[in-house]
Amino acid sequence: MNCTADAVFDHNIKVNDRRLFVRDPDARTLLKEAIDQLKDHSRLNSLALEPVIVPRMEKLPVIVRIWPFDGSAHQPGQEVRALLTLNALGPKPGPPAAILAKTFRLTPSEAKLACIIARGAPPDIAARELKISRETARNQLKAVFAKTDTHRQSELVALLLQVE
């Protein structure tokens, strides 16, 4: 578990005593079935588990993916059979400006703008958030396009979201 996971957990999905608990009965059943499949050592290598969608009240769902691996991949004495990844759907903060600046040689102002664009905000909203004129935001965005070798905002967002 990491600090980003803390934002995912609430009364709909949580970890308690190293176990994942989900409130939704259908998702709970699917997770139990997946765990039961993991216990069958003979099928472990051929196991391809479907993601489990965990609905949340008043929030978008969480996608739980189960990645099985064999016993040779971990330390002796550990009972690890799988890695669970959780993908909470919804707005994300975007990549850190400092990393974008270093990766693409952006100025600090261009990097801040790129972070906001990566969240899906249009340039006018980014300009308001940064307290700059729309024209300044447009000029900085042109510089970001040039430095990232992208040509459209969707292409830029797809690239920026790969940076963590």
Side-chain angles (χ1 to χ4, degrees):
M1 224 168 62
N2 60 30
C3 60
T4 305
D6 290 338
V8 173
F9 298 128
D10 57 20
H11 64 279
N12 297 297
I13 183 169
K14 63 184 173 183
V15 172
N16 190 5
D17 196 25
R18 296 179 47 198
R19 294 184 63 144
L20 182 66
F21 290 93
V22 297
R23 178 177 290 264
D24 181 75
D26 294 334
R28 190 170 45 241
T29 299
L30 291 171
L31 281 170
K32 184 183 179 329
E33 289 172 2
I35 290 167
D36 290 344
Q37 287 179 14
L38 287 170
K39 291 177 183 175
D40 184 358
H41 296 284
S42 64
R43 296 183 51 210
L44 196 56
N45 290 336
S46 63
L47 197 57
L49 298 173
E50 290 290 318
V52 175
I53 310 304
V54 179
R56 298 188 295 170
M57 295 170 59
E58 300 175 16
K59 293 182 182 178
L60 292 171
V62 174
I63 302 170
V64 179
R65 287 192 175 83
I66 303 166
W67 306 93
F69 55 91
D70 65 18
S72 63
H74 62 279
Q75 299 293 325
Q78 289 183 338
E79 293 298 322
V80 178
R81 300 238 189 270
L83 170 72
L84 271 60
T85 58
L86 284 69
N87 181 10
L89 301 179
K92 303 239 188 300
I99 294 176
L100 290 180
K102 285 182 183 178
T103 303
F104 299 108
R105 298 185 178 169
L106 303 176
T107 67
S109 298
E110 292 166 351
K112 288 176 190 172
L113 177 76
C115 283
I116 296 168
I117 297 294
R119 292 193 324 240
D124 331 359
I125 301 290
R128 261 187 267 143
E129 196 172 315
L130 293 169
K131 297 180 172 94
I132 59 176
S133 72
R134 287 182 7 184
E135 192 57 37
T136 300
R138 287 174 44 117
N139 288 334
Q140 288 178 355
L141 186 55
K142 287 178 189 176
V144 172
F145 282 142
K147 291 177 180 181
T148 58
D149 195 28
T150 56
H151 302 87
R152 285 172 287 177
Q153 197 168 327
S154 60
E155 186 181 4
L156 174 64
V157 170
L159 175 66
L160 296 179
L161 290 179
Q162 294 179 53
V163 178
E164 292 185 24

